[in-house]
Amino acid sequence: MGKTFKRPSTKSLSPNDTSKGKVSSKKKNLQYDTSSGWRKTWMALLLIIGFSAGLAYVAFKFQATSSGLPHTGKTKNSPPKSSKTIPTSEGNPTTIPPEFKNFKLSVQKKIKMESINIEGKPITIKELKHSNAKSSVKAYTIENFLSDYECDNLVKVHKRRLEILDKMTPIMCFDGVDTLRKNLKELKLAYKVSERDFTMGTTCLNETFSGKLRDHFKWSHSMAFYTGENKFSTMYAKRIQAATGLREENGGKFQITGYPIGVGYKSHTDCVVYEGEPEKRDRYATILVYLQDVEEGGETDFPLLGIKVKPKKGLALVWNSMDARGNCDPLSLHDAKQVTKGHKYIIQRWYYYHNFPALGSRPREPDLPKRKPDQPRVSCDMYEQGSCRWYDEWNYDHIIEYVANTRQLV
């Protein structure tokens, strides 16, 4: 007999709830290496605090980005008085945040599928076989992992949040001027651009220039929420762990993404392939659930493994991108095919090989670029492998000083 799980309440997912919630995406996060003890952690904190205010609490690179879902929007600015203190680069003591003080390493080395019951009904698990013996990837589908009611409410929340935020011009950011130029060339736009077109300290365009480009670009729309911000997030995380063995402490944010006609995502791996020692604080596995059927297009395709999955409402797709030793498997390359008819909606969550402090918690947003409250961003990077994505939250990937320090510390 499998375990029985009730459907989580989705009252908190009302489409009329306009409280803030957010999302992001990128390849890896800067975190502190705790494996060598607090001494290294303190040294990393000193460097982070020295180069940017606000990075004492968070130093990740891509939080792997839903909104309208309820959350407090508050951060803990006053850790317990009993916390240890360390000197900053300016000589003033700084309290060690509890997420660092109480951190325990968790290593996610495998997916362990188990049949469970949801509202008394057993789930149907299917392994997607491939013949590539060199690959460590294992992929599975789960029928009816989310109910029609859950899927419909998640889509309604996404639409409502987008309806509110899409009235503002999103700030467009790129990973560099070369990516900006390649996008402009593809669109046959005759703008001559340089680094001087980015706002100070960032690789983002100003609102005026972003507005001129808005109607020429196509992008997906992503929104995020985090564990504990609503009842659904807590119940859903438990359901995932029970069915897949993917542990809550290794989970990142929940991201709802919508793909209109003509939009997909180019071939990519969810983790980063390294030539030397791998970064183990990276995405080990992904769980993705399709929130509605798609008339044409929108398949999730693994071209090197011969696996292709068609969107089906409530269907979960689970796979690992790293092997048991923490190496990113290049054969996990996949893409989201362009939607040619209809609209695609998914909810996904990434699970990390090594967890790190504050993983799965909403990070503090950067001050740059200057922007209106709740103004969304569009991130266009990795021209050959990436695509443009609209987000309702901001991370640090576009902050020049942050990216430079990331390269030094990781």
Side-chain angles (χ1 to χ4, degrees):
M1 291 291 291
K3 300 177 183 177
T4 299
F5 277 73
K6 293 182 179 180
R7 297 283 183 191
S9 171
T10 52
K11 291 182 179 179
S12 61
L13 302 179
S14 168
N16 296 320
D17 187 340
T18 59
S19 55
K20 301 175 186 175
K22 308 193 174 188
V23 153
S24 143
S25 90
K26 250 228 159 217
K27 286 290 176 200
K28 67 186 182 86
N29 301 349
L30 170 62
Q31 299 302 335
Y32 311 122
D33 186 355
T34 59
S35 61
S36 299
W38 281 110
R39 185 177 180 182
K40 288 187 177 181
T41 302
W42 294 357
M43 292 174 66
L45 280 168
L46 290 173
L47 291 170
I48 295 295
I49 295 167
F51 80 78
S52 176
L55 294 184
Y57 286 85
V58 284
F60 356 67
K61 197 180 169 184
F62 65 117
Q63 292 270 103
T65 153
S66 182
S67 283
L69 292 168
H71 70 87
T72 63
K74 297 178 181 178
T75 57
K76 295 182 179 179
N77 295 319
S78 301
K81 293 181 179 179
S82 61
S83 299
K84 296 180 180 180
T85 59
I86 58 172
T88 68
S89 57
E90 298 177 354
N92 298 320
T94 297
T95 303
I96 298 175
E99 57 263 36
F100 288 91
K101 180 182 178 182
N102 303 322
F103 173 72
K104 293 182 180 180
L105 179 66
S106 174
V107 182
Q108 184 77 56
K109 291 185 176 181
K110 63 181 180 179
I111 297 173
K112 186 179 180 181
M113 303 299 291
E114 182 177 342
S115 181
I116 63 172
N117 295 332
I118 301 176
E119 292 187 342
K121 298 179 181 179
I123 61 174
T124 302
I125 300 171
K126 178 183 178 182
E127 183 175 358
L128 305 178
K129 299 288 187 178
H130 64 81
S131 58
N132 196 323
K134 295 181 179 180
S135 176
S136 63
V137 175
K138 291 186 178 297
Y140 307 86
T141 58
I142 309 173
E143 295 276 352
N144 301 313
F145 196 64
L146 287 176
S147 68
D148 286 353
Y149 179 77
E150 290 166 333
C151 291
D152 292 345
N153 274 275
L154 289 167
V155 171
K156 287 177 182 178
V157 167
H158 183 283
K159 288 180 177 179
R160 178 58 177 159
R161 179 73 171 163
L162 179 59
E163 180 183 350
I164 294 170
L165 297 187
D166 209 32
K167 296 175 183 177
M168 289 184 281
T169 297
I171 300 296
M172 297 193 66
C173 302
F174 299 80
D175 63 354
V177 70
D178 287 342
T179 295
L180 172 56
R181 287 170 177 161
K182 288 177 181 178
N183 276 280
L184 294 175
K185 183 178 180 181
E186 178 184 342
L187 296 169
K188 296 181 171 57
L189 297 176
Y191 290 106
K192 293 183 179 181
V193 295
S194 69
E195 286 84 356
R196 288 178 303 217
D197 288 290
F198 295 134
T199 58
M200 184 176 295
T202 78
T203 53
C204 299
L205 304 175
N206 62 33
E207 183 175 347
T208 301
F209 198 178
S210 295
K212 291 179 179 178
L213 298 181
R214 179 177 185 174
D215 292 338
H216 298 281
F217 280 71
K218 292 183 178 181
W219 48 65
S220 58
H221 297 88
S222 292
M223 304 169 186
F225 59 97
Y226 294 78
T227 301
E229 291 184 346
N230 52 77
K231 291 181 179 180
F232 176 81
S233 66
T234 303
M235 295 293 290
Y236 185 45
K238 290 179 179 179
R239 186 188 301 180
I240 293 171
Q241 181 165 336
T244 67
L246 296 173
R247 293 190 290 273
E248 168 58 25
E249 55 266 36
N250 290 75
K253 66 189 170 189
F254 300 91
Q255 179 169 291
I256 304 177
T257 302
Y259 297 84
I261 290 177
V263 176
Y265 199 95
K266 297 175 184 176
S267 295
H268 64 286
T269 55
D270 284 352
C271 50
V272 178
V273 179
Y274 289 90
E275 293 182 359
E277 182 66 20
E279 170 55 69
K280 294 185 179 181
R281 294 160 294 189
D282 205 349
R283 297 171 175 177
Y284 169 78
T286 303
I287 180 167
L288 176 158
V289 181
Y290 304 101
L291 300 180
Q292 69 177 32
D293 298 341
V294 179
E295 293 183 64
E296 291 181 9
E299 299 90 350
T300 305
D301 183 25
F302 295 79
L304 303 180
L305 300 178
I307 295 173
K308 182 182 286 189
V309 180
K310 181 177 177 60
K312 180 181 178 182
K313 190 174 185 178
L315 180 72
L317 172 61
V318 187
W319 74 92
N320 64 292
S321 298
M322 302 174 76
D323 63 24
R325 297 180 301 279
N327 299 297
C328 185
D329 189 336
L331 297 176
S332 65
L333 187 82
H334 60 283
D335 63 275
K337 295 299 183 185
Q338 286 189 6
V339 175
T340 55
K341 188 176 181 180
H343 203 116
K344 176 182 174 182
Y345 292 98
I346 62 170
I347 180 171
Q348 60 187 333
R349 194 185 199 196
W350 296 281
Y351 287 79
Y352 292 73
Y353 185 84
H354 278 187
N355 66 336
F356 43 80
L359 175 64
S361 300
R362 184 176 294 279
R364 177 178 173 179
E365 295 191 347
D367 295 326
L368 295 177
K370 298 297 181 183
R371 57 194 184 274
K372 300 182 180 76
D374 286 339
Q375 189 165 14
R377 69 181 169 98
V378 170
S379 179
C380 302
D381 54 16
M382 300 180 295
Y383 178 80
E384 285 75 19
Q385 294 185 346
S387 301
C388 293
R389 288 112 41 220
W390 179 103
Y391 294 109
D392 70 337
E393 70 175 355
W394 287 78
N395 63 14
Y396 291 80
D397 294 340
H398 58 282
I399 305 294
I400 294 173
E401 189 174 11
Y402 171 77
V403 173
N405 280 276
T406 298
R407 292 168 180 165
Q408 293 176 15
L409 292 173
V410 173

